[in-house]
Amino acid sequence: MKHIKPIVLVSILILAVSFAIPSLLVLPFSKEKASGKLDENMKEKNTSTLQSSIDIAVFRNTSQKVEQVPLEEYVVGVVASEMPATFEEEALKAQALAARTYIVRQLLSGNKGIPKGANVTDTVSDQVFQNKKELKKHWGSKYQKNINKITKAVKATEGKILTYDGKPIFASFFSTSNGYTENSQDYWANAIPYLKSVESPWDKKSPKYQYQQEFVVNDVEKKLGVTLRDNKEVSTNFTLTEGKRIGTVIIGGKKFTGREVREKLGLRSSDFSLARKGNKIIVTTRGYGHGVGMSQYGANGMARSGKSYKEIVQHYYQGIEISESKQLLDKVTAKK
C-alpha cells in the first residue's frame, strides 16, 4: 500500500470541508422551517399577489383617520370582517363579488355622507373593514390559515363585479333569511329589479334562524308609544310581504310596518310573532337582518350543496351579470 502524498491529503481535506459547509448552512434554516416561521413568512408573501389598480380611502372610525388601502386588499379586509372564514370557499367568493361591487359603485357615485378625503367608512353604514394588523389580533393563531383562504377566494374573483344594465348593482346582503329573501320595496322605499324575493331554504340550518327575546310590557309600550291591555292579543290584523315577513300589523290599536317594529324594539328580523306572558312580551323572530339581497348563511348552504359562486350570486341577485370592473374604474381614475 502506497503512502498518500501531503498535497493529495490536503486536497482531500478541502474537498470534504466544501461538502460539509452547505450542510452547516442549511441547518439553521431547517430549524426555522420546522418551527413554522420561515413557512409563515413565505405564505404571507403569497397573500400579497393581488393586483390593485386603485387605492381606497377608508375612514377608520376608531382613529378618526383616513387609511389608504389597495382595492383588492380592501376586499380581503371586508370579506374577512363580514363573513366567517369557516364558510365554504364558493360562499366567500360570492361575498368578495358583493364587497367589490359595493366599493366600485361607491367610487362612481361619490362620497356623499362620507368624511372628507375618504371614499368609504369601515362600519356597518358601508361595509365593515379590518386591516391585516387588526385581523391578526382578532384571529390569533388562526390568522395565516384564514387570511390565505380568504385571499384565495378574492383572487378567484379579482377585478370582477356584479352589474345590471352595465352598472354596478346595490349588492346588499344580510346574515340569515326566514326561508325567503325580501323584495326591496317591501323593506325600503324603491323597487329594485334585481332585488326580488327568492326562496332560501338553506338558512333553516343557520344557528341564527330562530331567536326569542323577552321584553317587559312597559318597555314595549314606551318604545312603540302604545298601551297594551291585559288579556288581549298583543298584535292583530297583520299582513305578510312576499318574503313572508310582517308587512303591517296593529299593536295596541296602532298600525306599524314590520320594519318599524323591528327597529323600535331592536329585533333581529321583521318576521316576528308576539305573545304576552304575565308582565312579559315574548318575541320570536325568524332570520337575522333586513332580508334584502344575498343571505350569507344561504350562500354557504348553497356552496355546501355544490353550487358555484356564480350560481349563488345569480340566485340572490336576479338578472345580473358578472362583469370586469376595469372600464368603470378607469372612469374613476380619469377624474383624479
Side-chain angles (χ1 to χ4, degrees):
M1 182 174 172
K2 296 181 179 179
H3 292 289
I4 299 173
K5 293 181 180 180
I7 190 166
V8 174
L9 182 61
V10 170
S11 299
I12 292 171
L13 288 172
I14 291 172
L15 188 61
V17 170
S18 69
F19 279 112
I21 288 174
S23 299
L24 291 171
L25 290 175
V26 167
L27 285 176
F29 289 99
S30 297
K31 288 180 180 177
E32 187 173 9
K33 189 170 183 179
S35 69
K37 291 180 181 178
L38 179 63
D39 191 42
E40 183 173 312
N41 290 337
M42 291 173 70
K43 286 179 180 178
E44 183 68 39
K45 288 180 181 179
N46 290 338
T47 64
S48 60
T49 58
L50 294 167
Q51 302 297 315
S52 295
S53 59
I54 191 170
D55 283 352
I56 306 302
V58 185
F59 182 77
R60 306 311 309 273
N61 190 57
T62 300
S63 65
Q64 295 288 292
K65 294 181 179 178
V66 174
E67 181 179 341
Q68 298 290 335
V69 185
L71 188 150
E72 294 298 326
E73 285 188 25
Y74 168 77
V75 174
V76 170
V78 171
V79 175
S81 304
E82 291 280 13
M83 179 174 273
T86 55
F87 273 24
E88 298 292 320
E89 209 168 287
E90 294 303 302
L92 292 169
K93 291 176 186 177
Q95 185 70 53
L97 276 172
R100 190 182 297 104
T101 302
Y102 182 93
I103 191 59
V104 171
R105 179 185 171 95
Q106 183 74 5
L107 290 171
L108 291 169
S109 63
N111 57 349
K112 298 174 183 177
I114 306 295
K116 188 176 180 181
N119 302 126
V120 70
T121 68
D122 64 357
T123 70
V124 292
S125 297
D126 292 299
Q127 300 185 113
V128 179
F129 167 82
Q130 295 175 86
N131 59 29
K132 288 183 177 180
K133 183 178 179 181
E134 292 161 335
L135 289 170
K136 283 180 181 179
K137 184 177 180 181
H138 175 66
W139 282 328
S141 62
K142 295 180 180 178
Y143 169 77
Q144 202 59 58
K145 178 183 177 181
N146 290 349
I147 202 69
N148 285 348
K149 182 179 179 181
I150 289 171
T151 302
K152 183 181 177 183
V154 172
K155 179 75 176 175
T157 67
E158 188 171 357
K160 293 182 173 60
I161 59 171
L162 306 174
T163 60
Y164 187 87
D165 282 345
K167 298 177 182 178
I169 70 167
F170 177 54
S172 62
F173 57 88
F174 61 97
S175 171
T176 303
S177 83
N178 63 344
Y180 300 84
T181 65
E182 189 80 300
N183 286 327
S184 60
Q185 67 270 25
D186 289 333
Y187 195 80
W188 296 318
N190 301 323
I192 301 174
Y194 48 82
L195 295 178
K196 294 180 179 180
S197 178
V198 296
E199 291 187 19
S200 189
W202 310 275
D203 301 67
K204 292 179 181 179
K205 294 182 179 179
S206 166
K208 301 180 181 181
Y209 177 70
Q210 188 163 300
Y211 187 71
Q212 275 196 345
Q213 289 175 264
E214 284 190 3
F215 295 89
V216 176
V217 170
N218 287 345
D219 286 344
V220 173
E221 291 177 325
K222 288 178 182 177
K223 289 177 179 180
L224 297 182
V226 298
T227 300
L228 301 176
R229 296 180 181 179
D230 293 338
N231 302 318
K232 294 284 185 180
E233 285 186 287
V234 181
S235 59
T236 60
N237 295 13
F238 61 85
T239 64
L240 294 180
T241 64
E242 190 175 343
K244 313 302 183 204
R245 292 165 179 78
I246 299 295
T248 58
V249 63
I250 303 295
I251 301 176
K254 187 176 178 180
K255 189 175 183 179
F256 298 92
T257 65
R259 177 180 177 177
E260 286 174 330
V261 176
R262 180 195 175 211
E263 293 178 348
K264 288 177 183 292
L265 296 184
L267 305 180
R268 289 187 169 193
S269 169
S270 55
D271 178 353
F272 57 83
S273 59
L274 299 89
R276 184 163 186 163
K277 190 175 181 180
N279 194 38
K280 298 286 182 67
I281 302 293
I282 312 299
V283 183
T284 303
T285 54
R286 283 159 294 277
Y288 197 153
H290 49 65
V292 183
M294 183 177 72
S295 163
Q296 293 174 310
Y297 272 90
N300 197 46
M302 288 187 72
R304 282 182 174 174
S305 70
K307 301 297 184 183
S308 70
Y309 74 91
K310 293 179 181 179
E311 291 174 299
I312 292 170
V313 296
Q314 287 171 344
H315 175 72
Y316 287 110
Y317 305 113
Q318 294 284 292
I320 57 92
E321 294 181 352
I322 299 174
S323 309
E324 294 292 336
S325 63
K326 186 180 183 306
Q327 189 174 356
L328 292 172
L329 287 174
D330 286 344
K331 293 180 181 179
V332 176
T333 54
K335 293 178 182 178
K336 294 185 177 182

